[in-house]
Amino acid sequence: MTTTTMTMAKALNEGLRRAMERDPKVLLMGEDIGKLGGVFRITDGLQKDFGQDRVVDTPLAESAIVGTAVGLAIRGYRAVCEMQFDGFVFPAFDQIVSQVAKLQKRSDGVYTMGLVIRLPFQGGIGAIEHHSESPEAYFAHTPGLRVVSCSTPNDAYWMIQQSIESDDPIIFCEPKSRYWEKGEVDLENPPQGLYDAVVRRVGTDVTVVGYGSSVKTMLRAAETAQAEGVSLEVIDLRGIAPIDFPTLVASVQKTGRLIAVQEAPRTASISSEIVAELTERCFYSLRAPGLRVAGYHVPYPPARIEEEYRPSVGRILDAVDRVMDFEG
Amino acid sequence: MIDEELVQLLTPEGERVTHPDYASTLTGEQILSMYRDMVIVRRLCNESTSLQRQGQLALWAPIQGQEGAQIGAGRALAPMDFTFPTYREHGIAWCRGVPPEDVLRLFRAVSTGGWDPQKYRHHVPTIVLGNQVLNAVGYAMGIQRDGADEAVLTFFGDGASSQGDVLEAFVWASSFNTPVVFFCQNNQFGISTPSSTQSRVPLFRRARGFGFPGVRVDGNDLLACYEVTRAALENARAGGGPTMIEAYTYRMGAHTTSDDPTRYRVDAEVEVWKHRDPIERIKALLVREYQTRPASFEAVAEEAEAFALKLRDDVLAMGRPDPLSMFDHVYAEPHPLVEEGRREMAALLAQEGAH
């Protein structure tokens, strides 16, 4: 097994490089992704090696980045679009939900929309407004789209390649606060399938499920809970749409308790979907109501107070207390 | 007549005029063949309106008055070019060889597309205004990368010219010098909104500001529409980059069968445009210059009638789609939620069938 240590940013960069080496139809499009290497340097050095036709510095127009990726897909190319920040995806929203999501259907399967929209998402980097949002639920709600998120460098390296190889359009959510954290990357053996949830820590008392930046927070909470004698099973969702419910069901049937964690506002969200679905599927296994630990119903706050908004170890542990103390 | 910069090769009376940049290259035989196209497409449109009024179509978007623009542009295409239409490009679909009944599938509400877009090199209809113009530019970027001798022709109207996607497409096409031709049919109205609300300058002049040529052509002049489009496509294939064509025309009918144009325009205006009819002026030319006999026109008219009858039969034969077909092609790869829905509906349908 060849493993190497790298940051998530470098793992994404290496994953993109491998995808481009493997398939000449893969090209990258985005704002400032060439010479600059993107504002997060995810595409660093790729334009130098693959040229301006395959690493395209685009005019500053998100709808056009996605809209032209659609045309390229019709022509047989696989575009990987970089949205510079989560809060700037909305000009492209129309193309994503009206064309990207529907064209396979509207062409009766003649077209495939094998394109990837990379979205640096979630907060935690002290940024100003529109740079810390979690819009994944909008896309998960839309038939025709798929949504995934990585939480480790190894997943980043493999999931970006799997997403590019997919014939379906994928919104690829990257937890920007984890870009600079290092981890082991296995360069030879891919992990699970793209949408498979993974148990990151085995436990017996409470299933805690989340994705992206929340995974590390959940693991920290599990450490603290362990010291207090409560065993948390931590699941990294990875596939946000579709969700790997069999893995979640197996866990909740074991623990009887469920907490879903996310940075996005709670209402009509991924965590809402998880709690609703598991209530249907595991009603008789649940020993307490499923809880959601999520962002509040407010616009993402100024960064000086963002840690009060984001799910913290403390808020997760409060939820653990509630499900452990619940008496039905 | 309308603007001194208007490219016109044939007056409304069917008399040829010269233009410094464009000359008609069409033979009498070609013109007669395109006359036939226009008559059939108009007949398709009339039949479709009737079918809608009889409850056989959910909606219809008429093109009366725009046949010259569409057949002119459509016949200027090379076989390998690719087209990106709105929902009103019935004449282009005809030129691309799309089976006419397939054009009506969307309007009969039995499909959200209707034809194989790769087979006919004609994208499925786009209803969200302007989306397809960006898709067209992306396709043209692919042509560039393939080094292919092809071009893209994309359509929008004066209404959609205000959409961000159209203007972003202009920026993109200019910056990357893509082989795309923007064909704007200015039919004077976006439903009820006059084109003067969309733009304070003639639309074709916008192109210059984006860095590529814009041409205003008499949209009811088949000969001019053909030559202007042909030249723009040739220029695009040769690496000359984008052109915007504004085909200045008039929507003689309603926006769609749900519209009532009497609420926002006066009969006198419609009357003026009746005298600029694209089919009548070609007929006048054919009679005057090519001595085309009444029998030839009668033959076309008879063919159009037979065409309409067959179209009607084909449409009426389109039954309700299998409800389970809604689960097909949502994704290219298997998806648990789609399969769950399919199983659930199949069970319900089987239950209903059992009673």
Side-chain angles (χ1 to χ4, degrees):
Chain A
M1 192 165 93
T2 313
T3 66
T4 179
T5 304
M6 63 178 87
T7 62
M8 181 182 286
K10 183 64 178 167
L12 287 165
N13 180 275
E14 288 294 324
L16 289 168
R17 179 181 291 279
R18 276 191 67 170
M20 294 184 81
E21 285 167 352
R22 195 181 303 126
D23 183 354
K25 294 286 190 186
V26 174
L27 55 87
L28 315 185
M29 300 210 297
E31 298 162 2
D32 310 300
I33 66 169
K35 273 187 188 153
L36 184 68
V39 293
F40 290 109
R41 309 293 183 266
I42 304 300
T43 54
D44 188 33
L46 296 177
Q47 191 181 60
K48 187 167 121 314
D49 294 341
F50 293 98
Q52 293 182 3
D53 275 353
R54 294 191 65 196
V55 181
V56 186
D57 271 320
T58 67
L60 307 193
E62 289 80 6
S63 186
I65 293 172
V66 175
T68 56
V70 168
L72 282 158
I74 294 170
R75 184 76 190 181
Y77 284 84
R78 290 181 184 273
V80 183
C81 305
E82 177 174 302
M83 295 288 112
Q84 200 159 68
F85 282 91
D86 34 61
F88 306 149
V89 69
F90 301 108
F93 195 74
D94 179 20
Q95 283 284 346
I96 296 172
V97 301
S98 303
Q99 303 306 328
V100 173
K102 289 181 177 162
L103 270 173
Q104 296 191 140
K105 181 68 187 172
R106 277 170 47 218
S107 66
D108 274 337
V110 170
Y111 294 151
T112 49
M113 283 288 120
L115 59 91
V116 176
I117 298 167
R118 292 185 35 241
L119 199 64
F121 86 136
Q122 299 177 324
I125 63 163
I128 60 163
E129 203 185 3
H130 305 296
H131 291 69
S132 305
E133 298 180 6
S134 298
E136 61 275 15
Y138 296 119
F139 304 110
H141 185 70
T142 303
L145 300 178
R146 295 174 184 266
V147 186
V148 300
S149 177
C150 52
S151 75
T152 68
N154 195 54
D155 271 357
Y157 177 74
W158 287 106
M159 289 172 75
I160 189 67
Q161 294 181 63
Q162 291 167 329
S163 296
I164 293 168
E165 281 168 12
S166 170
D167 281 339
D168 283 321
I170 293 178
I171 311 294
F172 192 89
C173 299
E174 303 169 2
K176 63 173 91 73
S177 65
R178 306 293 185 221
Y179 272 155
W180 311 113
E181 294 183 5
K182 288 183 178 169
E184 288 291 304
V185 175
D186 179 345
L187 296 171
E188 281 167 13
N189 307 298
Q192 303 69 12
L194 184 55
Y195 308 99
D196 294 346
V198 170
V199 177
R200 296 286 182 204
R201 180 186 172 112
V202 177
T204 53
D205 295 326
V206 185
T207 298
V208 186
V209 55
Y211 49 90
S213 69
S214 299
V215 175
K216 190 175 171 187
T217 313
M218 296 189 300
L219 287 168
R220 282 193 191 133
E223 285 291 325
T224 310
Q226 192 67 45
E228 294 169 5
V230 180
S231 168
L232 306 189
E233 178 146 295
V234 175
I235 297 182
D236 181 355
L237 200 58
R238 298 170 86 251
I240 293 173
I243 291 170
D244 174 9
F245 280 113
T247 298
L248 302 192
V249 166
S251 177
V252 170
Q253 282 175 342
K254 181 175 71 174
T255 63
R257 299 179 187 89
L258 169 68
I259 295 169
V261 181
Q262 70 186 22
E263 284 195 22
R266 191 178 66 189
T267 300
S269 69
I270 306 303
S271 66
S272 306
E273 183 60 23
I274 290 171
V275 170
E277 188 74 23
L278 289 172
T279 302
E280 272 191 45
R281 296 202 197 191
C282 306
F283 188 72
Y284 292 104
S285 303
L286 282 167
R287 298 157 72 173
L291 296 184
R292 290 163 291 169
V293 178
Y296 298 100
H297 201 69
V298 297
Y300 196 87
R304 299 249 181 226
I305 52 174
E306 72 181 327
E307 291 312 323
E308 279 73 19
Y309 172 89
R310 303 174 71 219
S312 60
V313 169
R315 283 177 62 200
I316 294 171
L317 291 175
D318 283 348
V320 169
D321 287 346
R322 284 174 61 197
V323 292
M324 290 302 291
D325 295 345
F326 182 81
E327 286 172 24
Chain B
M1 143 186 149
I2 300 153
D3 190 305
E4 58 184 22
E5 291 175 88
L6 186 84
V7 178
Q8 191 181 67
L9 298 175
L10 195 65
T11 67
E13 293 72 36
E15 287 167 17
R16 287 187 190 268
V17 284
T18 57
H19 189 276
D21 301 326
Y22 301 95
S24 182
T25 58
L26 292 166
T27 64
E29 203 175 324
Q30 285 173 311
I31 294 170
L32 179 60
S33 162
M34 290 163 83
Y35 168 83
R36 171 184 167 267
D37 291 340
M38 290 195 292
V39 170
I40 287 181
V41 166
R42 180 168 291 182
R43 191 65 189 84
L44 175 144
C45 192
N46 292 339
E47 193 63 24
S48 301
T49 300
S50 301
L51 284 164
Q52 194 279 335
R53 292 295 182 239
Q54 292 156 7
Q56 297 297 336
L57 298 179
L59 185 80
W60 178 247
I63 60 163
Q64 275 103 343
Q66 298 176 227
E67 297 91 345
Q70 294 199 8
I71 300 303
R75 291 287 292 264
L77 288 155
M80 289 305 289
D81 292 339
F82 209 100
T83 42
F84 284 81
T86 71
Y87 46 84
R88 205 191 293 281
E89 266 63 72
H90 318 313
I92 304 300
W94 170 256
C95 291
R96 299 258 81 187
V98 176
E101 65 273 22
D102 285 356
V103 171
L104 271 67
R105 290 184 197 282
L106 176 83
F107 297 99
R108 186 149 167 94
V110 297
S111 169
T112 52
W115 57 82
D116 179 338
Q118 296 284 16
K119 181 177 177 186
Y120 302 106
R121 307 191 72 68
H122 186 55
H123 188 58
V124 286
T126 300
I127 295 177
V128 180
L129 294 183
N131 278 178
Q132 77 284 0
V133 183
L134 275 175
N135 305 155
V137 172
Y139 191 93
M141 290 172 75
I143 292 176
Q144 276 180 317
R145 279 156 182 74
D146 294 341
D149 185 27
E150 300 166 28
V152 177
L153 184 61
T154 184
F155 297 85
F156 58 96
D158 47 304
S161 74
S162 297
Q163 287 286 345
D165 274 12
V166 172
L167 302 168
E168 289 184 20
F170 286 1
V171 171
W172 222 264
S174 179
S175 292
F176 296 127
N177 203 44
T178 52
V180 62
V181 175
F182 300 107
F183 196 95
C184 173
Q185 287 165 87
N186 179 355
N187 67 11
Q188 312 301 327
F189 295 98
I191 307 188
S192 72
T193 311
S195 59
S196 56
T197 304
Q198 315 292 348
S199 183
R200 293 285 298 275
V201 299
L203 284 170
F204 75 99
R205 285 200 191 134
R206 282 193 186 163
R208 196 182 308 163
F210 286 91
F212 53 87
V215 184
R216 178 179 268 189
V217 59
D218 180 345
N220 290 19
D221 174 353
L222 176 85
L223 304 188
C225 287
Y226 175 83
E227 296 302 340
V228 167
T229 309
R230 192 173 67 99
L233 286 168
E234 270 174 17
N235 178 61
R237 287 188 217 104
T243 302
M244 178 193 170
I245 298 168
E246 179 193 3
Y248 198 85
T249 181
Y250 195 83
R251 194 194 72 213
M252 298 302 287
H255 165 71
T256 67
T257 44
S258 300
D259 178 31
D260 175 10
T262 63
R263 292 176 73 98
Y264 54 81
R265 67 187 190 188
V266 294
D267 288 347
E269 183 180 275
V270 180
E271 282 304 313
V272 169
W273 280 90
K274 267 187 190 161
H275 295 295
R276 299 171 183 161
D277 185 74
I279 298 182
E280 287 307 313
R281 77 171 79 175
I282 286 295
K283 192 174 181 180
L285 174 75
L286 285 166
V287 170
R288 177 182 297 118
E289 215 169 276
Y290 300 96
Q291 290 79 47
T292 305
R293 296 183 177 282
S296 298
F297 297 121
E298 281 159 24
V300 171
E302 278 170 27
E303 188 191 350
E305 282 313 303
F307 166 88
L309 281 176
K310 181 176 183 306
L311 181 70
R312 168 172 289 269
D313 287 346
D314 289 343
V315 167
L316 297 183
M318 283 177 203
R320 194 169 170 263
D322 178 354
L324 290 171
S325 68
M326 72 175 72
F327 299 103
D328 297 338
H329 307 305
V330 181
Y331 294 90
E333 295 166 8
H335 192 288
L337 294 179
V338 173
E339 293 319 310
E340 183 189 312
R342 189 196 302 273
R343 280 194 303 275
E344 183 182 316
M345 185 183 286
L348 283 169
L349 293 173
Q351 229 172 19
E352 284 169 20
H355 290 294

